[in-house]
């Protein structure tokens, strides 16, 4: 017996009305405040302020040596911030939602968010070139422009974006609240775990949180582009399906070879050519039992008849005629042998 839980897994009969988030005043204010925080973190690291000093204090404290019993567990937990595994898990969930709601928007939103994440975070990482705690060369230095790629933290930013997408795409206020809390816990946990493991500075994590939050807050600006992309993809799919429906198979008899090209609907079917009638060949030899007079007459026309026979045999035959299907030839003369004499009524005795 089916329950309401399993009924909710079925595909909806028609696309539901989904309210797309817009750039409201609250969201715009949060975007401006987060941008200011982002710039402040970058400037504080560039000038080697108190934030860099705090980075070194946390690094020299070595949390992974203070609490070694949780090291193995946090090694697995930090995977929730890696781009590959998390993108696959979230894409599977959003793919099911796309199928259920008859829309590609969830998958397109995820793709747009990951693209923005790679471009923005990757550009800052390469531009600043900061080294990680394990590769630091001078105590108290910001370790900038040294060929590194850890500022901001990619794990932290990816955790904010990937898990925050679930709350952004939620269709009910209750689901949005629960998913927002879940994504916040995962993002905070992943960021602090990287500090515990010594792979990132504390300032890297702060900038990663800000970078991921900026992408989530700016997604409403990408909604018109996402809508146009969805319309183009669905239009191309409908055109392909319509083209396939116009192609109909040609009826083929049993055992006959199937044609390689199918005509389109509305085109007249090709008319079959009538089969050629079999041409009966003339008898080659003289009929059995013909008299001497017939033989003389036949001898005069033998040359002409022989030419006709050869011409007939040279013509292409539509099909072979079995011996049992040939027409019997009736002899023109008597069936008696030529040496038999007529009976005169007298008996001859020996």
């Amino acid at each position: 017996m089916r329950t309401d839980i399993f009924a909710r897994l079925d595909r909806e009969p028609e696309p539901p009305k989904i309210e797309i988030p817009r750039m409201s005043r609250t969201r715009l204010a949060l975007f401006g405040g987060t941008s200011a925080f982002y710039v402040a973190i970058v400037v504080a690291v560039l000038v080697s302020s108190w934030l860099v000093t705090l980075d070194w204090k946390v690094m020299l404290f070595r949390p992974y040596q203070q609490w070694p019993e949780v090291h193995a567990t946090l090694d697995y937990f930090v995977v929730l911030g890696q781009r590959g595994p998390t993108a696959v898990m979230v894409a599977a969930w959003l793919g099911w939602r796309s199928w259920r709601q008859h829309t590609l928007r969830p998958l397109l939103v995820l793709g747009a968010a990951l693209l923005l994440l790679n471009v923005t975070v990757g550009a800052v990482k390469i531009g600043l070139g900061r080294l990680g705690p394990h590769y630091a060369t001078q105590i108290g230095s910001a370790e900038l422009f040294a060929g590194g790629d850890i500022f901001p933290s990619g794990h932290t930013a990816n955790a904010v974006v990937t898990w925050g997408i679930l709350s952004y795409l939620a269709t009910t206020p209750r689901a949005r609240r629960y998913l927002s809390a879940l994504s916040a816990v995962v993002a905070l946990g992943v960021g602090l775990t990287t500090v515990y493991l010594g792979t990132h500075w504390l300032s890297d994590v702060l900038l990663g949180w800000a970078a991921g939050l900026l992408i989530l807050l700016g997604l409403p600006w990408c909604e018109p582009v996402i809508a146009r992309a969805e319309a183009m993809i669905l239009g191309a799919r409908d055109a392909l399906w319509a083209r396939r429906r116009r192609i109909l198979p040609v009826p083929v008899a049993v055992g006959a070879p199937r044609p390689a090209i199918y005509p389109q609907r509305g085109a007249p079917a090709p008319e079959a050519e009538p089969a050629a009638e079999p041409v009966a060949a003339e008898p080659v030899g003289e009929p059995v039992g013909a008299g001497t007079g017939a033989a003389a007459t036949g001898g005069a026309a033998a040359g002409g008849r022989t030419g006709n026979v050869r011409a007939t045999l040279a013509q292409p035959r539509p099909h072979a005629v079995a011996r049992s299907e040939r027409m019997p030839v009736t002899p023109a003369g008597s069936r008696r042998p030529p040496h038999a004499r007529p009976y005169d009524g007298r008996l001859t005795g020996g």
Side-chain angles (χ1 to χ4, degrees):
M1 182 177 180
R2 298 185 57 178
T3 62
D4 294 340
I5 297 178
F6 293 101
R8 290 175 61 88
L9 298 178
D10 290 340
R11 194 177 192 186
E12 297 183 4
E14 58 183 14
K17 295 182 179 180
I18 301 175
E19 183 179 358
I20 299 177
R22 297 182 178 181
M23 187 57 71
S24 60
R25 294 182 178 180
T26 303
R27 186 181 290 271
L28 190 59
L30 291 175
F31 186 86
T34 306
S35 301
F37 179 77
Y38 187 97
V39 174
I41 295 297
V42 174
V43 172
V45 174
L46 285 174
V47 299
S48 298
S49 65
W50 60 269
L51 185 58
V52 177
T53 304
L54 181 61
D55 286 341
W56 276 98
K57 288 182 178 180
V58 174
M59 181 265 184
L60 294 176
F61 180 71
R62 289 181 172 84
Y64 57 89
Q65 293 182 355
Q66 302 296 328
W67 301 285
E69 60 276 2
V70 296
H71 195 290
T73 303
L74 294 180
D75 278 338
Y76 290 102
F77 178 77
V78 79
V79 176
L80 295 178
Q82 291 184 0
R83 195 160 308 158
T86 56
V88 171
M89 290 187 291
V90 175
W93 170 261
L94 296 181
W96 171 78
R97 281 194 54 185
S98 297
W99 170 81
R100 185 172 182 267
Q101 297 178 350
H102 306 268
T103 176
L104 295 177
R105 179 174 171 267
L107 290 176
L108 294 178
V109 169
L110 176 62
L114 293 181
L115 179 61
L116 292 174
L117 176 66
N118 291 332
V119 172
T120 56
V121 174
V124 177
K125 278 187 173 187
I126 297 175
L128 296 178
R130 192 181 192 186
L131 294 176
H134 292 308
Y135 303 97
T137 58
Q138 184 180 356
I139 297 178
S141 172
E143 302 294 336
L144 293 172
F145 309 108
D149 58 350
I150 55 100
F151 183 68
S153 171
H155 278 70
T156 305
N158 182 74
V160 174
V161 172
T162 306
W163 300 108
I165 284 292
L166 299 179
S167 61
Y168 177 82
L169 294 173
T171 55
T172 61
R174 181 180 180 182
R176 186 174 293 110
R177 287 194 300 268
Y178 288 161
L179 292 175
S180 298
L182 176 63
S183 60
V185 170
V186 173
L188 289 172
V190 169
L192 295 178
T193 299
T194 59
V195 176
Y196 167 86
L197 296 174
T199 56
H200 280 286
W201 306 98
L202 180 61
S203 56
D204 299 343
V205 175
L206 295 177
L207 196 64
W209 284 332
L213 187 58
L214 284 175
I215 294 174
L216 288 179
L217 292 174
L219 278 178
W221 283 326
C222 302
E223 289 291 348
V225 179
I226 293 173
R228 286 195 295 267
E230 181 183 11
M232 290 176 58
I233 295 174
L234 295 180
R237 183 203 63 178
D238 294 341
L240 180 60
W241 285 3
R243 188 182 310 169
R244 290 184 176 180
R245 291 192 187 101
R246 285 196 299 266
I247 299 177
L248 296 177
V250 178
V252 181
V254 179
R258 185 175 296 275
I261 301 177
Y262 297 153
Q264 295 184 354
R265 177 178 294 181
E271 298 181 358
E273 297 182 358
E277 297 181 357
V279 179
E282 297 183 4
V284 179
E286 185 71 14
V288 180
T292 56
T297 307
R305 187 165 53 248
T306 303
N308 294 336
V309 170
R310 291 178 179 177
T312 303
L313 295 177
Q315 294 179 358
R317 305 178 66 184
H319 59 274
V321 181
R323 186 176 184 85
S324 58
E325 299 177 0
R326 296 176 182 175
M327 296 292 295
V329 180
T330 304
S334 174
R335 294 180 179 272
R336 292 181 298 175
H339 58 273
R341 296 182 179 180
Y343 177 67
D344 55 356
R346 293 179 298 178
L347 296 177
T348 56

